[in-house]
Amino acid sequence: MSAPAPTPTPAPDPVALVLRALPFGIAVGVGCQALVTFGVDVLKAGVPLAEKPSLTSAHALLLLLGTPAGMAIAGFATWSLLAPIRNPWRQGMLGSIAGLGSFVLSILLIWPIHGYFGRPGLLGLAAMAAVTGMLIARRIFALGAST
C-alpha cells in the first residue's frame, strides 16, 4: 500500500490578491512621490530666485528622474506581491496600473498638502503611505497564509 499523494496547496484567490496588491503599490508610489517632492523642495531652497532655471540643476534632475522612478517602484512593488498568480503579463499590467495610479493620486494629494502644510506635510504623507502600505502588505501575507 502506498502513501496518499500530497494535496497541492491551493493558489490564493487572485481577485482578493489583486484588490490588495494594487492599493499597496499605489501607497508605495504616493510615498515615493512625496519624498521626491520633499527633496525637490529642499534642494530648491538653496537656489537664489534670480538664478535662471536649468534642467541640469539638482532639483530639476531629482524631479525628472525621481518621478518615473517612484512610478516604477510602485509598479515593481505590485508586481512582486502578485507573484502567486504566476502570470507575468497580468503582473506587469497591474503593476503599470499601480504605477500610473500612484502618480495621479500623488498629484491630487501632494499639491494641497504641500500648499497647506509645507515640508512637514510631505513627510507626514510619506509616513502615512508607509503605514498604509505595511498594513496592506500584512493583510496580503495573512491572505496567503490562510489558504
Side-chain angles (χ1 to χ4, degrees), residues 43-60:
L43 290 173
K44 270 183 25 180
V47 177
L49 292 177
E51 187 176 317
K52 183 179 175 189
S54 169
L55 288 178
T56 59
S57 63
H59 62 278

Side-chain angles (χ1 to χ4, degrees), residues 14-141:
V15 175
L17 184 62
V18 167
L19 290 177
R20 287 178 174 89
L22 281 174
F24 173 78
I26 289 172
V28 168
V30 167
C32 288
Q33 299 300 344
L35 292 176
V36 166
T37 306
F38 175 80
V40 168
D41 197 39
V42 167
L43 290 173
K44 270 183 25 180
V47 177
L49 292 177
E51 187 176 317
K52 183 179 175 189
S54 169
L55 288 178
T56 59
S57 63
H59 62 278
L61 288 174
L62 179 60
L63 180 66
L64 294 174
L65 298 175
T67 300
M71 292 168 48
I73 291 169
F76 182 73
T78 304
W79 167 285
S80 62
L81 286 182
L82 290 173
I85 65 173
R86 292 186 218 109
N87 186 329
W89 174 256
R90 288 183 181 156
Q91 287 174 267
M93 288 298 101
L94 292 167
S96 62
I97 289 170
L100 293 171
S102 73
F103 176 70
V104 171
L105 187 61
S106 67
I107 289 173
L108 295 174
L109 291 174
I110 287 174
W111 282 354
I113 288 175
H114 184 251
Y116 289 121
F117 304 110
R119 291 181 196 157
L122 292 174
L123 292 177
L125 176 62
M128 284 178 38
V131 168
T132 302
M134 285 189 282
L135 291 174
I136 295 170
R138 192 168 149 199
R139 294 207 43 179
I140 290 173
F141 293 127

